[in-house]
Amino acid sequence: MRIYPTFFRLCFSWIDAERAHKIGFTLIKAAHRAGAGAVLRRMLAPAPSLQTTAFGLSFPTPFGLAAGFDKEGKGINALANLGFGHIEVGTITGRPQPGNPQPRLFRLVEDRAVINRMGFNNDGAAAVAPRLTQARAELGNTYDAARPVVGVNIGKTKAVELDDALEDYLLSARTLAPSADYLVVNVSSPNTPGLRLLQNVETLRPLLAGVREAADSAAGRHVPLLVKIAPDLSDEDIADVAQLALDLELDGIIATNTTISRDGLASPAPLVEEKGAGGLSGAPLKTRSLAVLRQLKAAVGDRVVLVSVGGVETGVEVQERLDAGATLVQGYTAFLYEGPFWAARINKELARLRK
């Protein structure tokens, strides 16, 4: 299973990062369509001891795939075969949009990191919702025990003015909530102008309250609602978000999104500068993401579910996040470097650690 890093270096490292991602994702989906899914599910299934409960849902494992890999819900079942306990789709916007001009995805191999300025490229909520409905139905028919959970991450359409952001989020919530196991409000991507301003609690409070009401009403049930925050918030702002989550009785906080910082990188400064603006993800985010998690845990205790994401690469690191207070952990960037058996390897490490 460890041959993939060599394969990546020889076959993918020299290809444009976005194109390489599309090729890899296409191969994963093709394997599923060709009938390999049943074999992969048996080979890569998480140990029963890893089953986890969060906001009323059962997860086969606490480790899942963060938003950004499957932006439009086109490969949920194929990704579930690989051992992820949940797949978070998105970010989805109220209207379809192409995202930012290419190139917009860049590797920093020496740092095991990625810079992206994708800009929420997606088909829009109306196109994605039927895919989610079909995927959840297929998962329900495929898995005897706890099936992988499907989360949906929603963000602001770029063309929508910041003053009209609430209505845009409400459109996405009403359209997608009936097809989602849980919903995430993304106000922390650095790639949509002005979006991070919505993390201000005065703006965030009516946004989250409105989305929750719209989602539950559209779905006819309570849809767990989480908010995803940036690692670049000050400690004071993080404390404010934690208190807001308690006030609104949110189901969870996802910490953290990508960072605009370029501090402490091993890659040469001219190379980093050449890549340009965008959110940095991967190994360099480990320290800050863990620090934010610990601060949130101290603030909310067990009253809000914490989902940790940012720089995790191994089962030991996932367990460290769980020990620090996370109920669920997500990864993405290391998937690009480690290949399709990464989640299964983490699950095996977690199972061994628990023994």
Side-chain angles (χ1 to χ4, degrees):
M1 288 188 179
R2 295 296 296 156
I3 65 171
Y4 183 83
T6 301
F7 176 79
F8 167 81
R9 189 169 59 252
L10 295 175
C11 299
F12 277 165
S13 63
W14 53 275
I15 300 176
D16 170 77
E18 186 172 355
R19 184 170 176 234
H21 170 78
K22 288 179 179 178
I23 292 171
F25 195 12
T26 297
L27 291 174
I28 290 170
K29 291 182 287 187
H32 178 72
R33 288 194 300 268
V39 176
L40 289 171
R41 281 193 299 276
R42 285 195 298 271
M43 288 176 52
L44 308 179
S49 63
L50 296 182
Q51 188 166 323
T52 301
T53 300
F55 33 81
L57 302 174
S58 293
F59 294 72
T61 166
F63 185 63
L65 183 60
F69 192 93
D70 187 353
K71 291 181 173 294
E72 300 172 314
K74 293 182 177 179
I76 296 169
N77 301 80
L79 291 165
N81 295 334
L82 304 181
F84 291 106
H86 63 281
I87 294 95
E88 191 171 303
V89 173
T91 296
I92 309 299
T93 53
R95 307 178 193 175
Q97 59 183 27
N100 292 322
Q102 299 179 354
R104 54 193 180 179
L105 185 66
F106 310 92
R107 306 182 199 90
L108 297 178
V109 177
E110 193 171 346
D111 289 288
R112 295 180 64 80
V114 165
I115 293 173
N116 96 81
R117 50 173 175 270
M118 301 297 289
F120 293 169
N121 53 304
N122 73 104
D123 293 341
V128 174
R131 297 175 196 150
L132 301 175
T133 300
Q134 181 178 353
R136 288 174 70 228
E138 290 178 2
L139 290 171
N141 292 331
T142 300
Y143 290 83
D144 296 328
R147 65 163 175 82
V149 169
V150 180
V152 183
N153 185 300
I154 61 173
K156 186 183 80 69
T157 305
K158 184 177 181 179
V160 171
E161 296 295 331
L162 210 56
D163 290 344
D164 299 319
L166 175 57
E167 285 305 316
D168 190 53
Y169 277 97
L170 294 182
L171 172 62
S172 294
R174 294 187 187 106
T175 306
L176 295 165
S179 305
D181 289 321
Y182 71 86
L183 204 62
V184 181
V185 172
N186 185 350
V187 288
S188 49
S189 170
N191 299 317
T192 296
L195 183 72
R196 286 187 167 196
L197 296 175
L198 296 176
Q199 291 177 111
N200 179 288
V201 291
E202 287 77 14
T203 308
L204 192 56
R205 184 183 298 273
L207 175 61
L208 293 173
V211 167
R212 179 173 59 188
E213 181 179 354
D216 290 358
S217 177
R221 59 182 168 88
H222 174 58
V223 180
L225 181 65
L226 298 82
V227 63
K228 187 169 186 176
I229 64 172
D232 308 308
L233 291 178
S234 68
D235 289 349
E236 181 180 357
D237 288 337
I238 292 169
D240 288 343
V241 170
Q243 187 58 53
L244 178 62
L246 293 172
D247 292 346
L248 294 179
E249 298 183 345
L250 286 187
D251 296 279
I253 302 171
I254 300 183
T256 59
N257 211 320
T258 58
T259 179
I260 57 174
S261 171
R262 300 293 188 265
D263 294 339
L265 297 178
S267 300
L271 174 66
V272 176
E273 186 176 348
E274 174 190 313
K275 305 304 181 187
L280 176 77
S281 63
L285 203 51
K286 287 178 187 178
T287 301
R288 179 57 181 165
S289 179
L290 182 56
V292 172
L293 169 64
R294 286 175 170 152
Q295 183 182 348
L296 287 170
K297 183 63 176 179
V300 304
D302 295 326
R303 291 172 287 176
V304 178
V305 171
L306 300 178
V307 183
S308 185
V309 55
V312 294
E313 300 184 278
T314 68
V316 171
E317 290 171 345
V318 172
Q319 187 61 53
E320 181 181 29
R321 303 300 175 94
L322 298 173
D323 293 340
T327 301
L328 301 172
V329 180
Q330 295 179 339
Y332 170 17
T333 301
F335 191 21
L336 309 181
Y337 288 104
E338 293 292 321
F341 301 116
W342 176 54
R345 188 163 61 251
I346 282 181
N347 288 331
K348 287 182 179 179
E349 291 177 24
L350 285 175
R352 281 199 301 269
L353 290 168
R354 294 190 176 192
K355 285 182 179 179

